[in-house]
């Protein structure tokens, strides 16, 4: 079923009779407990630049003809500081050294909020802002608004580095305020009235002790729902970001978060339904003796499936027959998980999407006893806002990057992003989904989505990250009592990242319709990607493989890649000084681990400053 029909069905007035409900599952999370013992010693590697011995890398040449690739060897030396920092004035290098050294001091990081408040009192607002722009803000934030960031964006572009614009303003809430907002926005009226009568799983219910979703999160913005007017304002902010990205370059990205666009109650509930429908598919596959197959190999025999569903009472025999013929499914006599996912019927009320199978009885049951008219309206508005943003991205020539979030929201986020891709990625990749490779089911998720894009003929777009919610996810799973969705250690996450990356690279080699952003600060992963591109004859000028790093970090990776012709992007946060303090506070926390885990970037900065001093270039100014 098309995204157009899907959204249209959700935004119609709620009237008339509703036909027999059919729901599409998405990806559920695997559940195997993981040890916690290696987390802290590996976090620096997951989020920072590891200590590696850089060697010249042989790469494919730039070419405009993808069908006639002529290999001239390009050497990228990640130790060449003159190339890495040629876009930086010496004072910027000194600022980087100062900030990175401050981030390595535990006391300063732990008390950073208190110290910033003290600085504000001592220096006044103007003095405080000037201090921040000379230090942390100047290092990690591009400017206060979409006009002030243009000089930095243009300078980076001149040296081959693009931008993923990210408006990084957050509310500065207390923990108690955050918990109250979360509980108010994630608990439905039906749950409040009859908390013991619903069929909810505890993973997909709000829990006050984890209501503050900022806890244990590195470098990811957090939005808390207040009301629909605030969601409209945040949508307008994203639209301005899209327009700014379109005005700054012809091939930029803009990042959005779905929790900014509506009441998260819907994401929680829809995620649970999607997961349970996928579990239902695997339950039926096990009945047919296919439980040991991989996710794409499992194919339900259609006639057996019809008999099983009729026996369970899921639907009348004629209804079940229509389910698999109306969409021209099952022509091969089998149904796989992607066919199963397509069984979404037009409904006049969005709450009819929130039906789920009871694996004990085989019956379809409502997730909650009822939904209020306002809850129906809130769900529809979230989808309308997504559609509006996608249309603005298409009109402005901007690619939209949908950020990943917590696992209890992510199945719904991924499913809705997939529906956007089905509509907007027909001619080129406009919508990109984000895959977190610290999840045990990351490979299953990405292979299913690539296969769907292959079958339907649209452009697959992905950003590959290791993940930002590890500590929070593990603590929540242990405390609440469900199995840990995270890989057991850094090595397993690294293997998963490279496995997913290699799969998408092979798809690019096969069809040239897949696109991926390798979002990492890990130099070994960058080298792995370049090696694979070389082996597969993937030219950087085809713009199928992108690289991404955060502004203010790992310039020794970003700029040599950009100047060698590879599409590379910095995640560019922006916003008023006072309003990005929460972002800067977390950046300080991240850099503490980053700087303790590796001396590499500081040593390269010192090396370049010494080279300039000895060469009489201490007042070096970039020319572009």
């Amino acid at each position: 079923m098309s995204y157009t029909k899907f959204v249209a069905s959700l935004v119609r007035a709620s009237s008339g009779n509703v036909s027999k409900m059919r729901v599409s599952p998405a990806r559920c999370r695997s559940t195997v407990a993981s040890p916690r013992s290696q987390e802290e010693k590996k976090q620096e590697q997951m989020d920072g630049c590891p200590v590696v011995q850089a060697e010249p890398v042989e790469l494919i040449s730039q070419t405009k003809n993808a069908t006639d690739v002529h290999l001239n060897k390009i050497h990228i030396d990640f130790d060449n500081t003159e190339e890495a920092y040629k876009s930086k004035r010496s004072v910027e290098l000194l600022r980087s050294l100062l900030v990175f050294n401050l981030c390595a001091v535990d006391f300063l990081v732990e008390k950073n909020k208190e110290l910033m408040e003290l600085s504000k009192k001592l220096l006044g607002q103007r003095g405080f802002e000037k201090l921040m722009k000379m230090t942390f803000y100047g290092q990690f934030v591009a400017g206060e608004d979409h006009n002030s960031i243009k000089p930095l964006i243009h300078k980076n572009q001149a040296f081959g580095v693009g931008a993923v614009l990210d408006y990084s303003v957050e509310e500065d809430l207390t923990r108690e305020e955050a918990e109250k907002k979360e509980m108010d926005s994630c608990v439905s009226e039906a749950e409040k009235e009859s908390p013991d009568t619903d069929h909810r799983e505890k993973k997909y219910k709000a829990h006050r002790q984890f209501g503050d979703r900022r806890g244990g999160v590195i470098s990811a913005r957090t939005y808390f729902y207040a009301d629909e007017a605030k969601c409209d304002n945040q949508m307008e902010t994203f639209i301005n970001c899209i327009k700014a990205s379109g005005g700054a370059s012809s091939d930029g990205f803009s990042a959005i978060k779905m929790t900014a666009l509506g009441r998260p109650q819907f994401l929680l509930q829809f995620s649970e339904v999607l997961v349970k429908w996928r579990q239902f598919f695997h339950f039926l596959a096990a009945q047919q003796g296919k439980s040991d197959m991989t996710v794409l190999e499992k194919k339900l025999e259609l006639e057996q499936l019809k008999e099983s569903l009729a026996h369970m009472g899921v639907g009348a025999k004629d209804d079940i027959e229509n389910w698999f013929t109306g969409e021209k499914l099952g022509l091969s006599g089998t149904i796989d998980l992607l066919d199963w996912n397509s069984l979404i019927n037009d409904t006049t009320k969005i709450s009819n999407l929130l039906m789920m199978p009871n694996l004990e009885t085989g019956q379809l049951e409502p997730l909650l006893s009822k939904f209020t008219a306002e809850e129906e309206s809130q769900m529809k508005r979230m989808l309308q806002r997504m559609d509006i943003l996608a249309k603005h991205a298409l009109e402005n020539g901007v690619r939209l990057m949908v950020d990943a979030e917590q696992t209890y929201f992510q199945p719904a986020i991924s499913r809705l992003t997939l529906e956007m891709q089905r509509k907007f990625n027909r001619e080129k990749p406009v919508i990109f989904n984000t895959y977190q490779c610290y999840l045990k089911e990351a490979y299953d998720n990405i292979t299913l989505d690539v296969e769907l894009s292959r079958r339907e003929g649209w452009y697959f777009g992905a950003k590959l990250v290791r993940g930002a919610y590890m500590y929070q996810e593990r603590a929540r799973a242990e405390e609440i009592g469900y199995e840990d969705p995270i890989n057991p250690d850094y090595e397993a996450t690294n293997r998963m990242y490279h496995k997913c990356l290699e799969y998408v690279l092979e798809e690019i080699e096969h069809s040239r319709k897949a696109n991926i952003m390798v979002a990492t600060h890990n130099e070994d992963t960058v080298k792995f990607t370049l090696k694979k591109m070389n082996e597969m004859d993937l030219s950087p000028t085809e713009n199928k493989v992108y690289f991404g790093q955060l502004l203010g970090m790992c310039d020794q990776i970003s700029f040599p890649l950009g100047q060698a012709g590879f599409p590379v992007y910095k995640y560019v946060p922006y916003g008023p000084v006072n309003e990005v303090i929460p972002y800067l506070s977390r950046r300080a926390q991240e850099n503490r681990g980053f700087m303790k885990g590796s001396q590499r970037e500081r040593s390269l900065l010192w090396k370049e400053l010494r080279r300039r001093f000895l060469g009489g270039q201490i007042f070096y100014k970039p020319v572009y």
Side-chain angles (χ1 to χ4, degrees), residues 554-624:
C554 286
D555 288 343
Q556 81 277 7
I557 292 177
S558 308
F559 286 90
L561 283 172
Q563 290 164 60
F566 289 85
V568 59
Y569 294 82
K570 288 288 193 182
Y571 246 71
V572 177
Y574 69 100
V577 175
N578 278 334
E579 296 180 52
V580 297
I581 290 300
Y583 173 88
L584 289 173
S585 178
R586 281 203 312 277
R587 178 62 64 244
Q589 294 281 350
E590 176 175 0
N591 275 309
R592 172 170 56 174
F594 163 69
M595 291 315 304
K596 286 188 174 182
S598 169
Q599 300 294 320
R600 177 163 172 72
E601 188 151 8
R602 282 191 292 182
S603 67
L604 291 174
L605 288 164
W606 275 121
K607 178 181 175 182
E608 175 59 12
L609 281 169
R610 284 195 298 270
R611 188 196 68 79
R612 291 184 185 183
F613 180 78
L614 294 174
Q617 294 181 303
I618 197 63
F619 298 108
Y620 168 83
K621 184 178 179 180
V623 177
Y624 57 96

Side-chain angles (χ1 to χ4, degrees), residues 25-28 274-298 300 337 340 359 441 444 448:
R27 292 157 292 285
C28 64
L274 293 169
V275 165
K276 287 191 173 180
W277 272 94
R278 181 167 170 177
Q279 290 172 343
F280 191 34
F281 175 87
H282 292 303
F283 169 78
L284 293 168
Q287 285 191 332
Q288 296 189 13
K290 301 180 179 182
S291 57
D292 294 332
M293 295 181 177
T294 65
V295 66
L296 278 173
E297 290 174 341
K298 288 182 181 178
L300 303 179
L337 186 54
W340 185 258
L359 293 186
E441 285 207 349
D444 283 351
L448 279 168

Side-chain angles (χ1 to χ4, degrees), residues 43-50 521-523 553-554 590 594:
Q43 179 63 29
E44 296 90 53
Q45 291 175 285
M46 293 183 72
D47 296 309
C49 299
H521 295 155
N522 188 310
E523 202 168 293
M553 296 175 66
C554 286
E590 176 175 0
F594 163 69

Side-chain angles (χ1 to χ4, degrees), residues 244-449:
S245 183
S249 69
S250 59
D251 61 350
F253 286 88
S254 186
I256 66 167
K257 249 188 161 71
M258 284 207 187
T259 49
L261 299 176
R263 187 181 175 103
Q265 171 196 335
F266 171 51
L267 296 176
L268 271 178
Q269 293 166 344
F270 196 30
S271 288
E272 182 172 0
V273 169
L274 293 169
V275 165
K276 287 191 173 180
W277 272 94
R278 181 167 170 177
Q279 290 172 343
F280 191 34
F281 175 87
H282 292 303
F283 169 78
L284 293 168
Q287 285 191 332
Q288 296 189 13
K290 301 180 179 182
S291 57
D292 294 332
M293 295 181 177
T294 65
V295 66
L296 278 173
E297 290 174 341
K298 288 182 181 178
K299 297 181 187 295
L300 303 179
E301 300 299 326
L302 185 57
E303 292 307 315
Q304 286 181 249
L305 173 61
K306 291 176 183 178
E307 290 176 10
S308 296
L309 294 175
H311 180 71
M312 292 177 185
V314 171
K317 190 171 183 180
D318 289 344
D319 288 333
I320 295 170
E321 185 71 31
N322 290 333
W323 288 2
F324 300 108
T325 58
E327 299 281 348
K328 297 183 179 179
L329 299 175
L331 296 179
S332 64
T334 61
I335 296 287
D336 66 12
L337 186 54
L338 291 176
D339 296 325
W340 185 258
N341 284 350
S342 69
L343 297 176
I344 297 179
N345 189 37
D346 287 334
T347 63
T348 57
K349 293 180 67 177
I350 193 171
S351 60
N352 286 287
L353 287 173
L354 301 181
M355 297 283 288
M356 62 184 185
N358 184 319
L359 293 186
E360 294 180 2
T361 66
Q363 301 293 315
L364 292 181
E365 299 174 344
L367 187 66
L368 297 169
S369 59
K370 65 178 181 180
F371 290 85
T372 67
E374 178 57 23
E375 286 171 342
E376 292 276 349
S377 179
Q378 289 167 349
M379 295 174 191
K380 293 173 185 175
R381 288 184 205 133
M382 174 183 278
L383 298 173
Q384 288 172 323
R385 292 180 188 112
M386 290 167 50
D387 200 51
I388 289 169
L389 290 174
K391 288 175 180 175
H392 276 282
L394 191 63
E395 291 167 3
N396 285 273
V398 173
R399 288 161 291 187
L400 207 59
M401 193 79 75
V402 181
D403 285 343
E405 304 194 45
Q406 287 88 348
T407 54
Y408 42 90
F409 293 137
Q410 192 57 42
I413 291 170
S414 290
R415 175 65 186 182
L416 297 174
T417 303
L418 187 67
E419 296 297 341
M420 292 167 68
Q421 289 179 312
R422 296 171 89 173
K423 177 179 180 180
F424 293 101
N425 285 11
R426 288 291 169 184
E427 303 297 328
K428 59 182 179 180
V430 176
I431 310 298
F432 280 63
N433 198 6
T434 300
Y435 297 85
Q436 300 189 101
C437 291
Y438 65 14
L439 296 178
K440 294 171 184 173
E441 285 207 349
Y443 185 75
D444 283 351
N445 294 343
I446 205 164
T447 55
L448 279 168
D449 291 353

